[in-house]
Amino acid sequence: MKFRLHLTFLLFSVFITMARSQTGLNLDVVKSYPFPNELTAAATGSRIAWAFNEQGQRNIYVAEGPDFSARRLTNYVQDDGQELSSVALSPDGKWVIYVRGGDHGSNWGDELPVNPTFSPTPPKVQIWAVPFSGGEPKALGEGEEPVISPKSDKVAFAKGGQIYTAPIDGSASPVMLFSARGTNGSPVWSPDGSRLAFQSNRVDHSFIGVFTDAKTPISWIDPQYKRDSSPRWSPDGKKLVFVRANGLGGKPDSILVRKHIPWSIVTAEVSTGQAKTLWTAPKTLSGSVPNTHGGTNLHWAADRIVFLSYQDGWPHLYSLTEQGGKPLLLTPGNFMCEHIQLSADGKSLVFAANAGTDPLDIDRRHVVKVSVSQADMKVMTPGAGLEWFPVLTGDGQTLAFVSATAQRPPLPCVMPANGGTIKLLATDRLPANYPAADLVTPKQVVFKSSDGVTVHCQLFEKAGGSAKKPAIIYVHGGPPRQMLLGWNYSDYYANAYAMNQYLASRGFVVLSVNYRLGIGYGYEFHNAKNGGSNGASEYLDIKAAGEWLAKQSQIDPKRIGIYGGSYGGFLTALALGRDSKLFAVGVDIHGVHDRTVERARSLVLPDQYERAPDADRALEVAWKSSPVAYVNTWKSPVLFIHGDDDRNVRFSQSTDLVRRLEELGVPMETMVIVDDTHHFMMHANQVKVNKAIAAFFEKKL
């Protein structure tokens, strides 16, 4: 009897193991990871704060040295789609401020409320303050772009194109500081908190203004026929430095030809407004205005002016004296710098970079530290992990950042500022049943496209399985993004990483493609010839990825699918239209489908006599770069998914393509996410989308 029971139990255990290996991971559990962002530090002391998204419940967490025990400050317990952004600590560390609501990753309308729960009373986009020691959050007013005074007593913010202030403790209603023409924003306090610099955007030009008080007229700093931006104060508060680019206008130029976009760094005496050009970018393509995270990343450090430039082919940090001269390259090497932060004492910078001694580091992120006055950069977190969003505490003793591996989801952590042991924070927020050990380690894949461009990918594949497996291409959005050999620092792409892991657990081989126009591989890759509306050359990389998969011995070449969101949706649709024989099925999530929409009239019928010499040709190329141009050769089944409050890609892009394919009888399924945005702000909506993607692939492949 005991033998029979033991044998029955053994067989049952084998059955459960086999069933688990066949069914893969549980998607709800895979999506249960917390996601930290908005990591920040006070200008004094050892206090840090961040936002945590725990299955749609977004809250502010804080920690303080020396133990850095994580503590939750707010109590938002609903999955209601209300993001937390612009998290900041007051210089004295006593207050945390944040913006709740909106969708600040949008191309337009980021300040508008998001209401995916269909509440009859729509939410507001508000600035809040909460004591670091604990207590009820206090609403300071509706607005965005909040910045705290150096005195830690009040907050300036933008609302409706004007600048307001409010006491940080919420003791009084906000007041408008001034009324000025244009859209006024990007406020920056002077070091003593007595004045406020800001940018006044006036469409074809913009000015830098300085507000002092209600009795003193606004000072306009060297107003020109230019677009001035990014004002930064000198440590003594006597000068400003800012970025100057050309104003709009001039003779219409060729659209299809790549051209230099000039910019310069200008300093000015605040008292007189007298300005001088400190440095002008090289007149080369790579010398153009940088378009990676933070743009020029301008800072006035303790005794140097620091900025980022692509001039040597990589987005690197440089510094200048306030007298100008030749910039000092702080970060030589073939890697990019992003998420750049200046230390409180102004003497050093910390940033994330795909740098290190391991050849695989080109597809990772590590924390790097460098002085502002010498090229002494040091990779602080070498190894096989991934680290980003670094900040130095105000006392200069601790380096805080977010850390992940290929298996463990991102968590905030700290280490001594000069290096040492890393301590993970808030580990109790990761669910006890999270299947980190069951996630595969993606493998780096490198190949060349048909025109010779080198393309990096990540391959997700579970050991074992059938002799001929179905495969899926994943195409990221952006396009200036880079998928990594582990979790991503963007919540949108962390979701994609989790989804690729889930699909791999279900027996699919997944290849995530870092196609040209993406970041991480230098200027020419990021700003590729004939890309986007000028020819969609990036599609060559997607096709090459499909062909690479088809040649692998373990892949069934007749069962290759493709999916992606945003720009990834565009390339998915292009693949299904151009190459249905290669891509058997696809899922297009809020993709762009007609690249002539909203630009045709400005090209061929501009509001002026002149037009670009290649306007007709540019319009034709844009059409041939669009999925709608290939509907007649589209045969593969497709699932369309789109939120109808999308503020990055208009919902009409999907409505139009669906109608075209319906008329041709192309097999399709559709899903509309009502009143949610491009980023699926509700956790439940994102899980719903993920389950639909997986179900569609399992049914079709």
Side-chain angles (χ1 to χ4, degrees), residues 236-269:
D236 62 7
K238 295 180 179 180
K239 294 182 179 181
L240 282 169
V241 64
F242 55 91
V243 172
R244 173 162 284 173
N246 283 342
L248 300 181
K251 182 180 178 180
D253 200 354
S254 172
I255 297 164
L256 296 174
V257 175
R258 297 191 299 169
K259 54 186 73 70
H260 169 68
I261 303 174
W263 65 289
S264 57
I265 295 175
V266 177
T267 58
E269 296 281 349

Side-chain angles (χ1 to χ4, degrees), residues 640-645 651 670-675 680 688:
F640 289 105
I641 303 174
H642 211 140
D644 83 324
D645 189 19
F651 189 77
T670 61
M671 172 182 282
V672 175
I673 307 298
V674 179
D675 285 351
F680 301 126
K688 180 180 178 181

